[in-house]
Amino acid sequence: MEGLALELLGRALRSRLRSDARPPRWLQLANQLIHDRLTEPLTVSEIAESVGAHPVYLVREFRRHYGLTVGEYLRKLRVEFACRQMSVTDAPLSHVAAAAGFYDQSHFTRTFKRLTGMTPTEYRALSRP
């Protein structure tokens, strides 16, 4: 009982720490940069420099406002992009992976399966009539 109570208390406190407020303008610009350069190699340092923030502060505020790390958010967007590509083209998965900004098909497949619960091949088969 004590363990469950402490876990509930911890969750409640963590949820109160999350900001429901709108992200500051510089953080919105960082988010937009991620969306704009989704398929390109992108580092936290590059993002931070472009919006005039320290990388550590950017990482902390990004997670606080968006609920994911910068890397998790970028991978999620890339997988969503790949899903759209696989639904509309017959391009080989290696081409889809490269177009989505993944280093190679192996990395793409591991990330895709971790985020969606299925392989890209399984997804493509289900997304096609």
Side-chain angles (χ1 to χ4, degrees):
M1 288 295 278
E2 181 182 352
L4 288 174
L6 289 174
E7 185 176 337
L8 285 172
L9 179 63
R11 285 184 185 198
L13 289 173
R14 279 192 298 277
S15 69
R16 284 189 77 202
L17 292 176
R18 281 208 176 124
S19 174
D20 291 332
R22 190 170 187 194
R25 181 77 181 128
W26 66 268
L27 191 55
Q28 292 174 21
L29 291 173
N31 188 323
Q32 188 59 49
L33 178 68
I34 292 169
H35 280 267
D36 292 345
R37 295 186 47 198
L38 167 69
T39 61
E40 303 171 25
L42 194 59
T43 66
V44 169
S45 296
E46 288 175 301
I47 298 168
E49 185 178 325
S50 70
V51 298
H54 191 278
V56 173
Y57 186 58
L58 167 70
V59 167
R60 185 175 61 228
E61 291 301 300
F62 194 94
R63 184 166 192 164
R64 186 166 74 92
H65 284 279
Y66 296 108
L68 299 169
T69 67
V70 174
E72 290 167 341
Y73 188 76
L74 183 58
R75 283 186 292 276
K76 178 179 161 268
L77 291 176
R78 286 178 174 172
V79 166
E80 289 171 359
F81 174 86
C83 286
R84 288 189 301 274
Q85 292 299 306
M86 287 187 293
S87 296
V88 298
T89 81
D90 289 325
L93 291 178
S94 59
H95 293 166
V96 172
F102 287 93
Y103 180 73
D104 59 23
Q105 185 178 344
S106 169
H107 179 227
F108 168 61
T109 301
R110 279 191 314 275
T111 303
F112 192 95
K113 182 158 183 153
R114 188 175 69 243
L115 293 178
T116 66
M118 63 181 85
T119 66
T121 304
E122 292 168 339
Y123 177 85
R124 179 174 264 172
L126 289 174
S127 70
R128 296 295 177 108

